[in-house]
Amino acid sequence: MDKPSHISVILDLSPSQWHLSSLPENPHPLSLRSFLSQLLAFLNLHIASKHENTLAVFGAFPSKSVMLYSSTDPEADNTENVNPNMYHPFQVVDSRVVTRIEEELESLDQSEEEAPIGLVGALTKALCYINRIIHPSASQSSGTTSEDPTTLPDPRILVLSVSPDLSTSYIPIMNSIFSAQKLKVVIDVCKVYGPDTVFLEQAAHLTGGSYIYLDRRDALLQHLIMSHMPSPALRKLMTVPTQDKIDFRAACFCHKNIVDIGFVCSVCLSIFCAPVPVCSTCRTKFPIKTLQRLNASRPPGLKPANGALKTAPSTPHTRGPSTPR
Amino acid sequence: MPPSTVCTAKASYKKAPGLLELTDTHLQWSQDGKKAPSIRVPYAELASLFCSKEGAAQVRLKVGLVSDDAGHNFTFTSPQPVALSERETFKRELTNIIARNRSTAEPTTPKPVIATSPITPVSNGHPPPLRPSGAATPALPPPISRAASVVSSGGTPGPGGAVSASDFKLRKKVLVNNPELATLHRELVMTGQITEAEFWEGREHLLAAQAAADSQKRGRPGALVDPRPQTVEGGDIKIVITPQLVHDIFEEFPIVAKAYNENVPKPLNEADFWKRYFQSKLFHAHRASIRSSATQNVVKDDPIFDKYLEKEDNELEPRRQRDEEVEIFIDLGATQEDHDVTGNEKDITMQAGKQKGVLPLIRKFNEHSERLLKSALGEDGPTTKRRRIDDDASHLRDYYAQIDIEDLHDLQDTTGIILEMQDRQRYFEGGMKSAASEDASKHEIDIKVALREAKDNLHDWAGALSNLKLEKKAADASVVAMTQNVQARLTTKTRKNDIPEGLFRQMRTCQTAANEFLRQFWSSVYPPLSDLQSANPPTPAQKAAKAAKMAGYLAKTHEKVEALVRTAHAEGIDPERVRVAMKPLTDAVDQALTFHRTRKPVNAK
């Protein structure tokens, strides 16, 4: 009954966001150093709480994503500076995660502007990884997973996010959410810094995970333990904190604006912020009459301006944040 | 030209004496001393007829109407013998009219004999009930409803002016079937907050669905005609006979119709005919189930009916041969000669007539089904459905065409629309310089500094980890916050609703009303849901006026909510709870109002 659990942790490692997070004018500044030590404590907690628990860590860097650590694929650890005061497996995880982060940061492109964060890539890699470990084929005898389905781990993903929503990534994120639903993978989100992200809220909600907005950033570890430590199976018995309010709005495909009300292509379900004669995704031509009708009765004088855009619906898609009771 | 009168009789209606007349278009009754008839029923309305038993104290006649099952009851007031003969006259005439009505209502149903006998008592002299007893006549209602669907199609403009009576009926039906909508209707329309027309705007699909449901014709009931005897005191058995039952019996068993034609009125009168029929072997041969064996002892030899007895249909070959040629693909015998060659075993599971006793029953069922099928095929234009089958048979001999079933075809033709995403790159990586850097640019971050800082932060991670220590205050605060979060959700689950019913109802009313206003508001702002319903789309000016009106209503929502909060306070309920409960509503209203305000100036320009 008590199945081992697997966590794929996704770390949002945007240097600029972490810089902002550590600025002293924040109510509770949190530096990357402090974040990492709390995170490592959490990771250690996870692998210590059950012998069969597995772990994978993915890093989302500007414009790239990499796997930092996976417990099914432990590399030959360098045993040179063994700390005798530390449980060895902890040390393996910790040193490996940090060293890999260092390497990746080192190789980062020194351009003037920070590239968008590779969160989607990390999410996709995490899903692929989970898909592999929960479907161990006979030919592939990789690591610790055994063929007995009862000992297959209960997988989940934990996203530790500091970057704001990237509206361009709406479609791939939604696709990842659907894959996660299909794999029955729970996505937990801990928003460590920055404004709430609409897409990750939806990701957590749609997969049955919990979304936490970190108010007391100095108590990150406390939040991680209370909200993200219990496995999905345990959460049936034990309520974990989450956010009640979820913003269900979507981003339009044409300008990547988050829209309250949009037009939906009847063929491919693409979302547009204004009626268009031809769907830009699937090239479906819409009847001119429909277009006229929609345009004619469109509320006049709404210039497509930044985010606060409103347009007539062919299908009232979503309207504002909703609060489930 | 005054209508010519077919027959007249003195009769009372609702205890008032008067004159019953049958003209060549109407059945009418006028009270004594009044010129104009107070009841006037056109022929087409007449649907059924019932009479009291001969010998009863009062001579009564009841007519059922198409639109009204209850109909009218007349009592003939002349002295008995005269009254009886008068009633016979009316009965004869009305029966013909009703028969005509029915045959127009069901144009294609074969009618060997129409129910010429209205009501006749059976067995031991119990007075027959005037109304058909429902249990005994399961087959009675359909003809009326089938006829009704024809008649009701002619909607007349009602007193409401714009709304026709049929529309009104439809709306009423929708409301009756949908209590929530009815409540909304009561609260908004009856109180005059929005008009009837506004209420139905955008709900046309409900009406359309109802109209479609109403116009569906009920088909022929599939039950076998099987009159169920009711046992009354003293061990007697009673079967109530209605014209409908008679009709059904005649249709199902032509032999009974033949017997009826040959024996009524001589040597048997109607009552005796039915009485003897139900005791005859013929009746028991017609029964559909083994229940017959229980009443076997009642069966008597009957010289009249026994002539009509047919031999049990339990020979290997059915008595009634199918006249059609059996299609070769469904003929099990078609490949019989190949069985020896191919080495197939003889089929032992499907031997016809293995159990002789069930053959008559099976055949009866088959014949019944065939009759039903024929009547169903016939109803829809004489041969349209049938022709489709026959067509295949006519350019027959093309056996391949016969086994070529469309459903089994590969779906090669319908490739659908392939989702060819144009310019994919745009979707996955486009808009690079959007929101991501927006926040960052505000703070003018030097990316190199940030990167260096990040790297610096990684140094001596082990030391930081070993010195990790959570501030007690921070940890406590977050624990409290998270506990509250969990608790808030648990309490909503466990706490029962202790808001008093009165207040709760007010809250609900406020909520539904505001919801409706919101619906009206947005529907006046946004295009209609589909092209179909826009028969006469409102002009932009009308829509603007409506939006303004609705916005006016919506603006009052906050006051209403405040009033509720005050009421809650007065009743000792935490006002905050009411406010929280109404929060989504006020949010939605605010959104609409903000929208309305921002839109106005542009309109004026």
Side-chain angles (χ1 to χ4, degrees):
Chain A
M1 58 164 267
D2 188 15
K3 281 169 77 171
S5 71
H6 166 86
I7 305 187
S8 281
V9 181
I10 295 173
L11 307 178
D12 182 345
L13 294 166
S14 155
S16 56
Q17 293 301 324
W18 277 112
H19 169 74
L20 291 173
S21 166
S22 62
L23 291 179
E25 60 258 34
N26 287 319
H28 301 285
L30 180 68
S31 66
L32 184 59
R33 183 197 303 270
S34 156
F35 166 76
L36 274 180
S37 45
Q38 298 190 47
L39 172 78
L40 293 177
F42 173 72
L43 298 182
N44 294 345
L45 200 53
H46 172 71
I47 49 175
S49 62
K50 193 169 173 68
H51 181 69
E52 295 89 351
N53 278 359
T54 55
L55 177 72
V57 182
F58 296 85
F61 295 92
S63 78
K64 68 174 173 183
S65 59
V66 286
M67 178 186 254
L68 302 172
Y69 172 83
S70 106
S71 54
T72 56
D73 180 27
E75 287 189 18
D77 44 287
N78 40 355
T79 46
E80 46 205 67
N81 49 359
V82 178
N83 184 347
N85 292 326
M86 203 169 179
Y87 181 50
H88 184 64
F90 289 176
Q91 205 174 9
V92 173
V93 174
D94 298 354
S95 69
R96 177 121 189 92
V97 168
V98 180
T99 336
R100 290 282 287 126
I101 292 176
E102 260 174 335
E103 284 168 24
E104 292 301 332
L105 283 180
E106 206 61 57
S107 68
L108 264 188
D109 185 17
Q110 303 268 335
S111 65
E112 278 306 305
E113 209 169 59
E114 189 174 298
I117 195 79
L119 182 69
V120 173
L123 194 56
T124 319
K125 281 177 181 152
L127 284 167
C128 292
Y129 179 79
I130 287 175
N131 186 49
R132 198 179 58 185
I133 59 164
I134 61 174
H135 295 109
S137 58
S139 60
Q140 175 197 32
S141 52
S142 63
T144 58
T145 48
S146 86
E147 275 71 27
D148 182 4
T150 57
T151 65
L152 284 177
D154 218 3
R156 65 187 194 273
I157 292 176
L158 170 61
V159 183
L160 297 162
S161 157
V162 290
S163 303
D165 260 330
L166 198 59
S167 53
T168 46
S169 63
Y170 174 63
I171 304 168
I173 285 204
M174 285 318 282
N175 287 338
S176 311
I177 294 174
F178 298 143
S179 326
Q181 281 180 324
K182 209 155 180 198
L183 280 174
K184 297 197 172 60
V185 171
V186 166
I187 299 180
D188 281 336
V189 178
C190 183
K191 187 70 191 162
V192 179
Y193 174 76
D196 274 321
T197 93
V198 175
F199 305 153
L200 291 179
E201 272 180 17
Q202 294 185 23
H205 175 75
L206 292 173
T207 56
S210 77
Y211 177 95
I212 291 289
Y213 183 82
L214 205 56
D215 279 321
R216 297 294 304 241
R217 275 198 290 279
D218 43 352
L220 168 71
L221 183 58
Q222 186 70 47
H223 280 89
L224 290 177
I225 292 171
M226 271 184 81
S227 304
H228 303 305
M229 195 66 203
S231 68
L234 253 181
R235 288 180 201 183
K236 284 174 194 147
L237 309 170
M238 181 174 161
T239 317
V240 296
T242 181
Q243 184 161 305
D244 286 336
K245 206 170 127 181
I246 298 138
D247 193 338
F248 283 113
R249 286 180 302 171
C252 73
F253 287 24
C254 42
H255 304 90
K256 316 288 183 199
N257 291 319
I258 294 179
V259 291
D260 279 352
I261 290 165
F263 294 84
V264 178
C265 170
S266 49
V267 175
C268 67
L269 304 182
S270 301
I271 303 161
F272 300 99
C273 57
V276 287
V278 177
C279 173
S280 66
T281 307
C282 62
R283 298 281 135 160
T284 304
K285 289 183 187 62
F286 300 123
I288 192 81
K289 256 183 82 184
T290 309
L291 203 65
Q292 278 168 347
R293 180 170 59 87
L294 292 177
N295 271 325
S297 42
R298 233 179 119 196
L302 284 167
K303 289 178 209 92
N306 57 49
L309 178 88
K310 282 246 185 132
T311 42
S314 60
T315 310
H317 190 77
T318 45
R319 191 174 289 158
S322 83
T323 314
R325 286 154 48 91
Chain B
M1 190 192 86
S4 58
T5 306
V6 180
C7 50
T8 57
K10 279 192 158 84
S12 66
Y13 176 71
K14 289 190 176 156
K15 299 205 172 133
L19 188 70
L20 184 66
E21 282 179 293
L22 189 68
T23 69
D24 52 5
T25 53
H26 288 78
L27 176 70
Q28 58 187 42
W29 179 86
S30 33
Q31 198 176 340
D32 278 352
K34 291 192 182 163
K35 278 224 171 108
S38 45
I39 296 175
R40 233 170 108 82
V41 182
Y43 277 8
E45 278 281 292
L46 295 169
S48 56
L49 182 65
F50 305 100
C51 303
S52 62
K53 187 190 176 293
E54 277 179 49
Q58 286 187 312
V59 183
R60 276 187 298 203
L61 177 79
K62 181 186 168 188
V63 286
L65 306 184
V66 168
S67 54
D68 176 15
D69 245 345
H72 302 297
N73 258 313
F74 301 102
T75 311
F76 290 82
T77 49
S78 306
Q80 270 268 0
V82 184
L84 279 180
S85 74
E86 279 172 351
R87 188 182 62 178
E88 273 313 301
T89 322
F90 270 96
K91 198 168 101 181
R92 199 175 51 241
E93 294 298 333
L94 289 175
T95 310
N96 287 339
I97 292 163
I98 291 168
R100 268 206 304 279
N101 282 349
R102 286 207 184 146
S103 56
T104 48
E106 313 164 69
T108 52
T109 313
K111 286 227 168 0
V113 183
I114 198 71
T116 47
S117 78
I119 185 159
T120 336
V122 173
S123 71
N124 311 332
H126 289 278
L130 269 176
R131 297 174 60 92
S133 109
T137 58
L140 183 63
I144 294 170
S145 70
R146 267 179 272 164
S149 65
V150 175
V151 174
S152 67
S153 58
T156 47
V163 182
S164 71
S166 58
D167 258 6
F168 182 73
K169 252 186 214 161
L170 269 184
R171 288 177 182 180
K172 201 171 157 190
K173 259 189 198 163
V174 170
L175 289 182
V176 166
N177 292 338
N178 194 339
E180 272 175 37
L181 199 63
T183 318
L184 193 63
H185 185 262
R186 202 161 47 240
E187 279 163 8
L188 292 178
V189 180
M190 307 260 180
T191 56
Q193 297 195 64
I194 57 173
T195 66
E196 177 85 13
E198 275 170 350
F199 182 78
W200 289 105
E201 203 175 294
R203 293 200 164 92
E204 290 89 348
H205 62 285
L206 290 177
L207 296 177
Q210 184 68 40
D214 283 354
S215 63
Q216 291 233 318
K217 272 206 236 168
R218 211 156 119 189
R220 226 177 114 82
L224 270 176
V225 182
D226 189 19
R228 283 157 199 240
Q230 299 164 303
T231 309
V232 293
E233 292 152 51
D236 291 335
I237 284 170
K238 186 174 87 176
I239 295 178
V240 179
I241 299 183
T242 61
Q244 181 61 38
L245 178 62
V246 171
H247 175 186
D248 287 343
I249 291 178
F250 286 170
E251 199 180 322
E252 189 84 31
F253 310 114
I255 193 76
V256 182
K258 189 170 162 236
Y260 182 86
N261 283 340
E262 289 172 9
N263 294 299
V264 179
K266 264 199 311 190
L268 297 172
N269 69 16
E270 258 189 60
D272 285 339
F273 175 83
W274 290 113
K275 198 160 152 184
R276 290 178 71 155
Y277 168 64
F278 285 120
Q279 289 173 344
S280 69
K281 280 185 191 154
L282 185 60
F283 172 63
H284 286 283
H286 287 162
R287 309 238 19 201
S289 68
I290 45 155
R291 269 184 293 122
S292 56
S293 58
T295 47
Q296 208 73 51
N297 49 354
V298 190
V299 179
K300 297 175 194 154
D301 281 337
D302 189 312
I304 295 176
F305 281 100
D306 285 357
K307 323 193 271 242
Y308 297 102
L309 260 184
E310 292 155 317
K311 235 179 109 211
E312 281 273 290
D313 192 5
N314 60 1
E315 295 302 319
L316 209 54
E317 287 290 311
R319 183 162 357 99
R320 219 169 57 86
Q321 285 290 349
R322 289 173 58 88
D323 48 352
E324 304 158 40
E325 191 182 332
V326 178
E327 277 179 47
I328 201 150
F329 283 115
I330 56 172
D331 186 0
L332 286 179
T335 53
Q336 208 150 31
E337 60 193 49
D338 299 336
H339 285 191
D340 294 336
V341 184
T342 56
N344 281 358
E345 284 281 332
K346 216 172 160 87
D347 184 6
I348 51 156
T349 55
M350 292 173 73
Q351 282 176 9
K354 203 175 182 185
Q355 228 183 324
K356 223 172 177 189
V358 300
L359 275 181
L361 206 56
I362 290 177
R363 284 180 187 151
K364 199 184 288 171
F365 286 161
N366 282 344
E367 279 166 28
H368 181 74
S369 317
E370 197 182 332
R371 235 190 322 268
L372 270 182
L373 197 61
K374 272 185 181 149
S375 77
L377 284 173
E379 254 168 43
D380 194 61
T383 48
T384 41
K385 285 182 194 164
R386 187 162 285 240
R387 191 173 303 130
R388 221 172 45 214
I389 305 163
D390 289 344
D391 262 0
D392 286 347
S394 63
H395 53 82
L396 191 79
R397 309 310 153 217
D398 179 8
Y399 290 122
Y400 184 78
Q402 275 184 283
I403 54 168
D404 185 30
I405 297 167
E406 205 185 325
D407 290 358
L408 298 181
H409 282 196
D410 223 1
L411 293 173
Q412 331 167 295
D413 302 335
T414 55
T415 43
I417 302 169
I418 299 163
L419 177 61
E420 280 186 89
M421 280 184 66
Q422 310 285 330
D423 198 5
R424 277 170 217 224
Q425 214 54 23
R426 192 158 64 88
Y427 289 98
F428 296 117
E429 285 163 25
M432 284 297 186
K433 56 184 189 308
S434 62
S437 50
E438 196 177 276
D439 195 36
S441 58
K442 254 190 302 194
H443 292 264
E444 292 293 333
I445 307 167
D446 186 347
I447 188 77
K448 284 173 189 155
V449 173
L451 196 57
R452 203 173 323 120
E453 186 189 317
K455 283 179 205 159
D456 287 346
N457 267 309
L458 293 176
H459 288 311
D460 190 30
W461 58 271
L465 181 57
S466 55
N467 291 328
L468 173 64
K469 168 165 159 278
L470 279 195
E471 288 294 324
K472 189 175 183 325
K473 228 175 75 192
D476 283 353
S478 63
V479 167
V480 168
M482 282 187 287
T483 314
Q484 273 170 354
N485 176 313
V486 171
Q487 198 177 19
R489 259 177 310 142
L490 284 186
T491 45
T492 50
K493 255 188 237 167
T494 53
R495 193 165 52 185
K496 63 178 188 295
N497 177 19
D498 53 357
I499 295 176
E501 181 52 34
L503 178 62
F504 194 52
R505 195 174 48 240
Q506 284 179 36
M507 286 165 68
R508 276 201 310 257
T509 309
C510 176
Q511 150 96 20
T512 48
N515 250 344
E516 176 66 15
F517 294 144
L518 280 173
R519 195 186 72 83
Q520 296 283 352
F521 176 77
W522 290 113
S523 74
S524 69
V525 169
Y526 286 124
L529 281 176
S530 81
D531 300 293
L532 298 172
Q533 296 156 4
S534 52
N536 46 349
T539 64
Q542 278 173 341
K543 291 181 81 172
K546 191 175 161 195
K549 189 177 157 195
M550 290 304 151
Y553 287 140
L554 285 173
K556 290 183 198 136
T557 309
H558 277 286
E559 288 171 35
K560 285 189 198 159
V561 171
E562 277 312 306
L564 284 174
V565 170
R566 276 196 299 278
T567 318
H569 191 68
E571 296 200 19
I573 306 293
D574 183 7
E576 204 45 44
R577 285 179 58 195
V578 176
R579 204 167 275 145
V580 167
M582 305 309 274
K583 183 85 169 45
L585 184 70
T586 49
D587 282 353
V589 167
D590 286 342
Q591 178 122 353
L593 289 177
T594 317
F595 176 78
H596 188 63
R597 268 195 300 277
T598 53
R599 182 187 161 199
K600 266 241 178 87
V602 192
N603 266 354
K605 198 163 61 178

